[in-house]
Amino acid sequence: MRFVLPLFFLPVLFSVLSPARVGAEPTAPAQVTLPLPEYERLHRESERPAITVVDVMRLSGSFKDHSLALSLSGRASGQMPAQPVLTSPPGVRVYGCEGDALLTRGKDGFFELVPLKPLFTLRCRLATTGSDRLQLEATAAVLWVESQISDGEYVGSDDPSGKRSFTVVRVQGGPAEVVAPTAAARYRISLLPEETRFRYQLDVHNPNRSHQVFPLNLLSGEHVQQVDSQASYDIDTKKGAAASGEHGVGYRFDLPPGETSVVLTGTLKGGTFRPPLQASVQYLLMESHPLLRPQVGADAKRIAASETGIAAEYRGAQGFLLDRDETLSWTVTRLQALRTTSFAVSGVQHTFFLSADGKALGESRLSLDNQGAPDLSLPMRAEPTFASLQGDPTLLTKNEAGNLWLPLSQGKQEVLVQHRQAMQRLPGLTTATLWLPQLQAPATTAHIELRYPREWIPLYVEFASESIGPDVSLADALCILLLFFVTERMLALLGLLPARRRILAGAACTAAAVSSMILTGVLLGDGAVLLVWLVPHVRRMKWTAGRVIGLLLMAGTLFVVLLGLTFSRGSSKSGYDGEMASAPMLRKAVRMENNNNDQQQAPVGEKTGQALQGLPARYDLPMGHSQTHFYREMLATESPRAVRVLLLSQRTYGAAVALLSLILLALLLVSGRDLLRGWKLLMRGARERIQPPPLPPVP
C-alpha cells in the first residue's frame, strides 16, 4: 500500500511539470539590456566603412645573427575585415607573431592580416632558406615599407597598381670588389618639320650588391623633358658642360643592384648626335616625317631597322650600330608635297527614273575609300533631296561655293544622294538633260541606269559619245524591202497601176513596221494572192527533182525571212495597251523588260538609320517598264557630264499608229474597186487554168 500513493500522483506531477501542456500561455521573448554608451559605440562602428590598412611595414634584425623580424603597424575600422598584406616566395617563412592582430597564410601565397583592435601592432619573425637575400612583395594595403636591417641593402620598386616589391641584400663586411655597371643603349631620333625629338632607352645592369653611381652626360644639346626611371637621380649642369665643352646637362643615377631601366625624352638641337655614355651595345633608329628626307653621313654602320628593337612611328626608318665615341651627323631636305585627292572612288551607280509628271528622280550611290579627306563636296546641277552616310540619313548642307557638303570618316564609305531634275515638255515629246554629280576623283567603275514608266518610249539616249537610238539592222531592212517587193508584185497581179501600187505597198510596209496587226494582215493578203496565182502553175508544171528542190528552197527562204520579220516585230512588243506594237528596237544596251507587277520596287540594300527629327525622307525608285544601261571604266566627272534623252509619249505613238492605219485604210478604200476587180480576174484565170472551158462543137 505504501507504493500505491506515489504511483497514483505520478501522472498529476508529470502534467504539472510538462512545458507543452495544453492551454499554457506563451513565454515572453528574450531581451538584452545594454548601457547607452555601449549601444552608441556599436552603432558608430556599424556605420563606419570596413577598412584595414597597414601604415608601416618595418624590417629589422640582421642576417648574421639570424634575427630578421617583421613588424606591422596600422589601423582598422568598421568590422575590421581581413586584408592581404604580403606575399613571398616559398623560401621565406613568417612565424612567432605577437601583437594585436593575426597573420595567416592563404592558398595563393598571400599573408592575410586580421586586426583584433582598431589600432594594432604585430611583430613576427622571418626565416629564409638562404642567408644573403630577403625578397618580399607588399600589397596596395601597405602604405610604406622601410628596412632597419643592420647588414642589409634595401632595394624597392613600385608597381602602378599600388604593389611594392622589395629586396634586402646582405652586405658583406670589409672591402669588396666593385664592378662597373654595364648598359645597352637604344636611341630613337624623330625628325619632324617643326622640331627634332629623341628618346633614349638605357637598360643598365648593376652586378654589385650595393648601390652604384651611374653618370650620364648629354653631349648633343638635348633638352630633356621627362626622365622615367625607378632609380633616384641628381642633375649636375656644370659636369655636363665640362664634359661636352658646351652647354649640356649631366645626370647621376643611384642604381640599385640588378636591372634598371632609364628612359629620357625631349628635343634635340642641331644635326649631330654623340652617344651620352660608354655602352656595350648602342643602337640608333632615325625616322623622319614624310615631308622630310634625311641624308646621313656615309661612315655610319647601317643595319636593318627591325634589328634595333625600337618601334618606329613613321615609314622608311633607318637603323645604325654605333661605336664608342662615334658621332653621327645628318642633313635634312624638306620635300614638296604634290596635290592629290584624299579619297578614291571604287564605284558609282547613278539611277534615274523619268516619271510621267515631267520630273527626273535620281539616285547616286558612291563607294569611297577615304584616306584623310574630312568632307565631300559634290557640285550638283540637280536639286538634292536626301543624303545618307553608311546608311544613316544626314542633313543636307551647302558650303561657301554652294555645293552639297557631306562629312566623311576614315576608311571605306558608302554615300547615297537622291536628287531631282526637271524635263522639257514638247507636244508629244519630252527631252531631258540628266546631270551627274561631280566628283574630284575618277570612278573605277560607273554604271548608269535609266528607268522609264509605261507612258514613255525612249527614242534616243546619249551619254559620253555613245548614243542609243532607233537602230534598224540589215536583216530588218532586207525584210522590209522584201515585204515591199512582194506586196508590190502582188498588187501588180491584181492589175493596179504602177504609181498606185507603189504608194499602197509603201504605206502597207510602213504601217506593218509599227503594228503587228497590220503586219499580219499584209502577210495574209500577200500569201492569198500568191497562192491563187501559184496553184495553177504548180498543177500544170511537169515536176522534176531540180524543180522540186528549187521550189522548196525558195519557199523555205521566204518562210524564214517572213518568220524572222514577224518574230522581230513581235519580240519588240512591250505589252502596250490595245494592238499597238512597241517602239523601234534599240541596241543591246537597251533592255526591255515586262513587269507583271507594276508596283514592284527596287530592293533597298541598306540598313535603316536612326529616325532623327528634321532629316529629309528617302523615296524608293520604281523599276519602271523599260531600262537603258551604260557602263564605263575610269569615268571622270570633274567637269559636268550629262545623259541626254528624247522620249515619245505613248499617246503620241498610239496616235501615229492610228494615223498610219487610217492612211492605209483610205488608200485601200480608194483602190477598193480595182483590187476587187483584179481579185475576180485572178480567180477566174486560176479556174480556167485548172479546168479549161470546153471547146465549141465542130459544125
Side-chain angles (χ1 to χ4, degrees):
M1 291 299 294
R2 56 184 177 181
F3 295 102
V4 174
L5 184 60
L7 292 178
F8 174 79
F9 282 102
L10 184 60
V12 178
L13 182 61
F14 178 80
S15 63
V16 171
L17 297 178
S18 176
R21 65 183 181 276
V22 180
E25 296 182 358
T27 59
Q31 295 182 357
V32 178
T33 303
L34 291 176
L36 183 60
E38 185 68 17
Y39 172 77
E40 292 178 352
R41 185 185 66 80
L42 294 176
H43 182 67
R44 287 194 302 268
E45 291 181 357
S46 63
E47 291 182 350
R48 293 175 183 176
I51 297 176
T52 300
V53 61
V54 177
D55 293 328
V56 179
M57 177 184 292
R58 183 176 293 106
L59 302 174
S60 59
S62 67
F63 286 95
K64 180 179 179 181
D65 299 336
H66 301 282
S67 59
L68 297 178
L70 171 69
S71 63
L72 301 172
S73 300
R75 303 183 181 188
S77 65
Q79 300 297 327
M80 297 187 295
Q83 180 68 47
V85 294
L86 190 66
T87 181
S88 65
V92 178
R93 294 291 181 181
V94 181
Y95 66 98
C97 297
E98 297 177 354
D100 304 325
L102 298 178
L103 190 66
T104 61
R105 187 181 182 93
K107 297 181 180 179
D108 299 332
F110 282 94
F111 287 93
E112 292 187 352
L113 177 70
V114 181
L116 301 179
K117 293 182 179 181
L119 296 177
F120 61 87
T121 300
L122 180 66
R123 180 177 178 84
C124 302
R125 300 182 62 184
L126 294 176
T128 60
T129 55
S131 60
D132 61 348
R133 184 179 296 269
L134 176 63
Q135 184 175 358
L136 299 173
E137 180 178 351
T139 63
V142 179
L143 301 183
W144 182 253
V145 179
E146 63 181 20
S147 175
Q148 296 181 355
I149 299 177
S150 59
D151 55 351
E153 181 75 20
Y154 174 80
V155 179
S157 62
D158 291 331
D159 190 81
S161 62
K163 297 180 180 180
R164 184 174 182 86
S165 300
F166 56 92
T167 304
V168 181
V169 182
R170 182 177 181 179
V171 178
Q172 298 290 344
E177 182 181 0
V178 178
V179 181
T182 59
R186 289 178 171 84
Y187 312 108
R188 184 179 70 185
I189 298 177
S190 302
L191 304 178
L192 304 179
E194 64 278 1
E195 61 183 359
T196 300
R197 298 177 183 176
F198 72 88
R199 184 180 186 274
Y200 299 163
Q201 179 179 348
L202 311 177
D203 297 328
V204 187
H205 174 65
N206 181 14
N208 303 287
R209 303 176 66 89
S210 61
H211 285 240
Q212 296 294 325
V213 177
F214 180 72
L216 180 65
N217 301 323
L218 302 180
L219 308 176
S220 304
E222 295 91 341
H223 175 67
V224 181
Q225 297 176 349
Q226 185 176 353
V227 178
D228 296 329
S229 178
Q230 298 177 356
S232 60
Y233 63 91
D234 295 328
I235 301 177
D236 188 1
T237 306
K238 296 181 179 180
K239 185 174 181 179
S244 60
E246 56 185 16
H247 179 70
V249 177
Y251 288 86
R252 293 173 57 86
F253 291 90
D254 187 15
L255 298 181
E259 302 289 339
T260 305
S261 177
V262 178
V263 178
L264 288 81
T265 56
T267 58
L268 187 67
K269 297 181 180 179
T272 59
F273 170 76
R274 185 179 177 185
L277 75 162
Q278 300 291 336
S280 57
V281 180
Q282 301 188 85
Y283 298 100
L284 173 64
L285 180 73
M286 180 173 291
E287 59 181 2
S288 60
H289 191 271
L291 294 178
L292 303 179
R293 183 180 63 184
Q295 297 178 356
V296 187
D299 297 337
K301 297 179 182 179
R302 297 179 181 269
I303 60 176
S306 59
E307 296 180 4
T308 61
I310 307 173
E313 297 181 0
Y314 298 96
R315 299 178 181 177
Q318 306 178 43
F320 301 93
L321 181 62
L322 302 180
D323 294 335
R324 297 185 177 183
D325 299 332
E326 183 178 3
T327 302
L328 188 70
S329 61
W330 64 86
T331 58
V332 178
T333 304
R334 190 179 182 91
L335 304 178
Q336 183 178 2
L338 301 178
R339 182 179 180 182
T340 58
T341 57
S342 299
F343 62 87
V345 184
S346 58
V348 298
Q349 181 177 0
H350 303 286
T351 306
F352 296 93
F353 179 78
L354 287 71
S355 61
D357 58 355
K359 295 290 184 180
L361 305 179
E363 182 178 273
S364 300
R365 296 175 181 266
L366 314 176
S367 298
L368 308 179
D369 186 6
N370 185 23
Q371 297 298 330
D375 51 31
L376 174 65
S377 178
L378 282 178
M380 298 179 61
R381 296 194 180 185
E383 177 187 359
T385 59
F386 176 82
S388 67
L389 297 172
Q390 297 296 96
D392 296 330
T394 183
L395 293 175
L396 298 177
T397 57
K398 291 185 178 182
N399 55 11
E400 295 80 1
N403 302 328
L404 179 63
W405 183 88
L406 298 174
L408 293 179
S409 58
Q410 191 75 13
K412 294 185 178 180
Q413 303 289 305
E414 293 293 335
V415 181
L416 173 66
V417 179
Q418 289 187 341
H419 40 83
R420 180 172 50 196
Q421 306 181 47
M423 298 188 296
Q424 295 76 30
R425 302 293 295 269
L426 299 174
L429 296 174
T430 296
T431 61
T433 303
L434 309 176
W435 297 98
L436 305 180
Q438 297 177 225
L439 293 173
Q440 301 176 1
T444 305
T445 59
H447 180 233
I448 302 173
E449 179 182 3
L450 279 69
R451 301 176 182 178
Y452 314 99
R454 190 179 295 272
E455 290 81 5
W456 296 122
I457 298 175
L459 293 182
Y460 182 78
V461 185
E462 179 185 358
F463 175 72
S465 71
E466 180 179 356
S467 60
I468 301 175
D471 185 16
V472 180
S473 63
L474 181 60
D476 293 337
L478 292 178
C479 291
I480 294 296
L481 291 177
L482 179 60
L483 182 61
F484 175 78
F485 175 76
V486 172
T487 304
E488 192 271 338
R489 287 293 87 199
M490 296 302 103
L491 294 177
L493 292 178
L494 296 178
L496 265 66
L497 297 177
R500 181 173 294 182
R501 67 174 178 255
R502 292 192 186 98
I503 295 175
L504 186 57
C509 292
T510 303
V514 296
S515 176
S516 299
M517 185 176 182
I518 298 177
L519 175 62
T520 303
V522 172
L523 293 177
L524 291 177
D526 292 345
V529 175
L530 181 60
L531 183 62
V532 172
W533 177 81
L534 191 59
V535 169
H537 292 79
V538 172
R539 294 190 62 178
R540 296 177 58 184
M541 185 181 298
K542 293 182 180 179
W543 293 100
T544 62
R547 290 182 178 180
V548 172
I549 294 174
L551 183 61
L552 291 177
L553 290 176
M554 292 176 60
T557 303
L558 181 61
F559 176 77
V560 170
V561 172
L562 295 179
L563 182 63
L565 178 62
T566 305
F567 179 76
S568 63
R569 296 297 95 187
S571 62
S572 63
K573 186 175 182 179
S574 299
Y576 293 106
D577 296 335
E579 298 177 355
M580 306 296 181
S582 67
M585 293 185 302
L586 302 179
R587 295 180 182 174
K588 293 182 179 180
V590 180
R591 182 183 59 181
M592 311 296 289
E593 297 181 354
N594 296 330
N595 297 326
N596 296 327
N597 185 4
D598 293 337
Q599 302 299 328
Q600 183 179 1
Q601 297 179 350
V604 180
E606 297 185 356
K607 61 181 181 180
T608 303
Q610 297 179 355
L612 300 179
Q613 186 177 3
L615 293 177
R618 176 189 173 186
Y619 51 81
D620 296 329
L621 296 182
M623 287 299 297
H625 184 65
S626 60
Q627 297 85 28
T628 303
H629 298 267
F630 292 96
Y631 180 79
R632 287 288 184 276
E633 293 181 352
M634 298 305 296
L635 177 65
T637 57
E638 294 88 350
S639 58
R641 284 181 176 266
V643 182
R644 292 174 173 81
V645 184
L646 177 61
L647 303 175
L648 176 67
S649 65
Q650 176 63 33
R651 293 183 179 180
T652 304
Y653 175 76
V657 174
L659 180 60
L660 290 176
S661 302
L662 290 176
I663 293 174
L664 179 60
L665 181 59
L667 292 176
L668 290 176
L669 292 176
V670 171
S671 304
R673 292 183 180 180
D674 296 337
L675 292 175
L676 184 58
R677 184 173 60 253
W679 175 258
K680 291 180 180 180
L681 293 176
L682 186 61
M683 291 294 294
R684 184 185 304 172
R687 284 194 299 268
E688 290 177 355
R689 290 186 181 91
I690 296 174
Q691 296 179 359
L695 298 176
V698 179

